Amino acid sequence: MPMPPYPIYCYRKGCGKLAVYKIAARWSDGVTQELKTYALSCADCLPDWFRRSRVKQAACRLAPGETLESVGIYTLEPGRRDAEIHRLPELERQLSQES
Ligand SMILES: [Zn+2]
C-alpha cells in the first residue's frame, strides 16, 4: 500500500507536528509478510513511541510459524511503499541505550 500523498501527523494526541518516522516491525507467517506499524511519530515524540512500541511488542504472542523482527525505526517518506523505506539502525541503537 503506498503512503497517502497528504501530510501525516504524529500519533500523539495534541502533538500536531508532522510525522517523520514510522515505528514498525516486519511480521511474517512464512507465506505473507507485512510491516506492522506501531506508531507514526515526529522527532520529539520518537523516544517515547519507540519505548512504548517495544513494550507493546514484548506483550505480543506469536502463533506457531509466525516471525516478528525487532521494533525498527523507519523513515517516513510520503508516496513510498513499505518495501522502499529505509530502516535507521543507528537511531534504534541510540534510543535503546537511553531506555
Ligand atoms: Zn509528536
Side-chain angles (χ1 to χ4, degrees):
M1 279 263 290
M3 297 292 295
Y6 48 81
I8 299 159
Y9 294 95
C10 179
Y11 271 20
R12 176 178 288 207
K13 277 203 178 86
C15 173
K17 293 201 193 86
L18 286 175
V20 290
Y21 297 112
K22 176 176 188 147
I23 301 162
R26 281 192 201 282
W27 169 91
S28 175
D29 63 0
V31 182
T32 55
Q33 181 184 289
E34 64 174 44
L35 199 57
K36 191 172 151 66
T37 302
Y38 292 102
L40 300 175
S41 175
C42 69
D44 291 347
C45 303
L46 184 66
D48 194 44
W49 277 124
F50 186 56
R51 196 179 58 237
R52 283 208 246 173
S53 300
R54 293 188 348 143
V55 169
K56 202 169 162 185
Q57 189 189 53
C60 170
R61 280 167 193 268
L62 294 174
E66 286 183 345
T67 53
L68 189 60
E69 275 184 14
S70 61
V71 175
I73 299 169
Y74 295 81
T75 52
L76 188 62
E77 298 170 55
R80 290 205 178 206
R81 287 181 297 129
D82 280 349
E84 297 169 333
I85 64 175
H86 301 106
R87 194 167 173 174
L88 304 164
E90 274 304 314
L91 196 53
E92 291 167 24
R93 256 198 296 281
Q94 209 179 313
L95 292 177
S96 303
Q97 281 161 7
E98 282 171 16
S99 57

